Amino acid sequence: MFTMESRTRLMARRYFSWYWFPIFGSVVWVGTLLGLLLTWICQGEPHYVSMDSQGQTIAYISDVAADFLKPLFIAGASVTSVCFILSLFGARWLRHRGRILPNTSWAQRVFSIIAIIGAIVGGVALILLSIFDTKRHTTLHRVFLGVFVGGVLVSALGTVLEYWRLERHHQWSRALTYSFWIKVVFFCVELGLAIAFGVCLNQGINNAGAIIEWVTALVFTGYLLSFLFDLLPAARSHTGEFKDVELTPPNSSYTY
């Protein structure tokens, strides 16, 4: 039986809970990218100072963000980074509290921690690369860009491994299965795009590299949004509800 206090707390979670972080972060990130891209297009696709003079006609994200929209990029990158880190931390915390499906082995916890560390490294790097723009700090910008991509890939790999082992233990959970496969697809696609981007950057194939960078940034949104599947059930659960869950679901929170 729920008390009036617990019902009030449960209702409040539906309107303000951890699952808002991936939603808000995704909206801000996509909005930032669209703001940069549409500005460049509406300006008549100008050739920025930071762009290669040897035939580059498509601007990188960093080229547009190094101009007068730099404050927008810094703000968008900062908000997205914080939401990204809090989404992973929230999943770890809620599993520990038993408000979502708990980890069932030490290996899952280790993979989860690796994912959080990767997210922190990648998130901090995203903020720094937005501050040290490619027009004024080219070398630093590229270093932080590489760290950001590496951090996100490490985070995604840690998450995939954690969810692979977790999903095997809770095969009845459709939400967990969806989340796992979304993360697998994201990791494979993002890894392929990162490799292609690195090749284009090193070989000076700038137009193709710019397109890949825009696509890679948008694909990142899918990874962030995938945590919605993990965090949403916490809006309907209470502390310890999933602590002793083994092979059968306690309620419908995870079977939507």
Side-chain angles (χ1 to χ4, degrees), residues 24 35 39 51 66 78 105 131 175 185 195 200 211:
F24 186 63
T39 297
M51 293 171 65
S78 299
S105 69
I131 296 173
V185 170
I195 293 173
C200 289
I211 294 173

Side-chain angles (χ1 to χ4, degrees), residues 102-168:
N103 293 124
T104 57
S105 69
W106 65 268
Q108 292 173 18
R109 295 182 180 89
V110 170
F111 291 141
S112 175
I113 293 172
I114 291 174
I116 294 173
I117 293 174
I120 293 174
V121 172
V124 171
L126 178 58
I127 296 173
L128 291 175
L129 73 85
S130 69
I131 296 173
F132 296 97
D133 61 79
T134 188
K135 183 167 68 176
R136 303 170 184 82
H137 311 278
T138 305
T139 301
L140 272 177
H141 179 82
R142 292 193 173 187
V143 168
F144 290 132
L145 177 60
V147 174
F148 166 64
V149 173
V152 171
L153 287 174
V154 169
S155 174
L157 179 59
T159 303
V160 165
L161 292 175
E162 177 197 3
Y163 280 56
W164 169 60
R165 298 181 66 91
L166 191 61
E167 194 269 342
R168 290 174 62 190

Side-chain angles (χ1 to χ4, degrees), residues 34-146:
L34 288 178
L36 295 172
L37 181 60
L38 292 177
T39 297
W40 177 66
I41 294 175
C42 291
Q43 284 181 329
E45 301 179 6
H47 191 282
Y48 295 108
V49 176
S50 56
M51 293 171 65
D52 191 342
S53 60
Q54 300 299 319
Q56 182 184 352
T57 58
I58 301 177
Y60 285 98
I61 296 174
S62 51
D63 292 323
V64 186
D67 207 62
F68 72 96
L69 287 180
K70 182 175 179 178
L72 170 66
F73 189 49
I74 292 176
S78 299
V79 171
T80 303
S81 297
V82 171
C83 290
F84 176 40
I85 295 169
L86 289 178
S87 295
L88 276 86
F89 177 79
R92 173 88 284 277
W93 173 250
L94 292 173
R95 292 195 196 287
H96 174 71
R97 297 281 291 173
R99 285 180 55 192
I100 61 177
L101 293 176
N103 293 124
T104 57
S105 69
W106 65 268
Q108 292 173 18
R109 295 182 180 89
V110 170
F111 291 141
S112 175
I113 293 172
I114 291 174
I116 294 173
I117 293 174
I120 293 174
V121 172
V124 171
L126 178 58
I127 296 173
L128 291 175
L129 73 85
S130 69
I131 296 173
F132 296 97
D133 61 79
T134 188
K135 183 167 68 176
R136 303 170 184 82
H137 311 278
T138 305
T139 301
L140 272 177
H141 179 82
R142 292 193 173 187
V143 168
F144 290 132
L145 177 60

